[in-house]
Amino acid sequence: MILNITDAASSQIKEMMKEEETENIRLRFGVKGGGCSGLSYAMGFEEDINEELDVLEDANGIPVVIHRQDVPIIEGTTIDFKQNMMGGGFTIDNPNAIVSCGCGSSFKTATNAGTPDENC
């Protein structure tokens, strides 16, 4: 399994998916260049997949699309949803990340440093 989604995150994602206006909606999860450490997580909803470039996986009842090139960077990652007094939000635990920024939104791995933002 490439991606793990906890029960709390699955519940939250399913609620968000209900707000989308299509039945074939999937969660797209991956990485993009940027952030203080060089790579940032990207998460959103998408209908279409490219069977040559994407992997489709079921993670705790959520259909997830992942770009094939992102698989080695995020393999074994867990998405959770935490509730606190300030509200709630998703947390991402990536065992491949060797460096993360202070806010936790960007990272780099041993094999992929990405492209850090100059403004950080």
Side-chain angles (χ1 to χ4, degrees):
M1 178 167 276
I2 300 167
L3 185 67
N4 303 301
I5 299 178
T6 66
D7 290 343
S10 177
S11 177
Q12 185 67 29
I13 293 167
K14 286 176 182 175
E15 286 300 312
M16 294 167 69
M17 290 173 86
K18 288 179 185 176
E19 297 175 13
E20 297 296 316
E21 296 184 15
T22 181
E23 292 180 23
N24 294 325
I25 201 72
R26 299 170 179 95
L27 176 69
R28 177 170 286 279
F29 183 76
V31 296
K32 60 183 180 178
C36 299
S37 298
L39 296 171
S40 295
Y41 297 105
M43 192 163 78
F45 295 114
E46 190 168 303
E47 278 186 81
D48 301 320
I49 65 169
N50 182 326
E51 293 185 14
E52 291 180 23
L53 300 176
D54 295 324
V55 174
L56 181 61
E57 179 173 271
D58 182 274
N60 199 2
I62 305 291
V64 182
V65 179
I66 302 167
H67 198 285
R68 288 187 193 280
Q69 73 181 21
D70 292 345
V71 170
I73 299 170
I74 62 170
E75 192 155 15
T77 294
T78 298
I79 299 175
D80 195 6
F81 187 82
K82 306 270 186 197
Q83 196 74 33
N84 61 35
M85 294 178 67
M86 300 295 289
F90 291 100
T91 62
I92 299 171
D93 179 23
N94 183 345
N96 304 304
I98 61 168
V99 172
S100 294
C101 69
C103 64
S105 66
S106 71
F107 67 101
K108 71 178 177 179
T109 68
T111 58
N112 196 322
T115 308
D117 285 343
E118 293 180 17
N119 298 331
C120 290

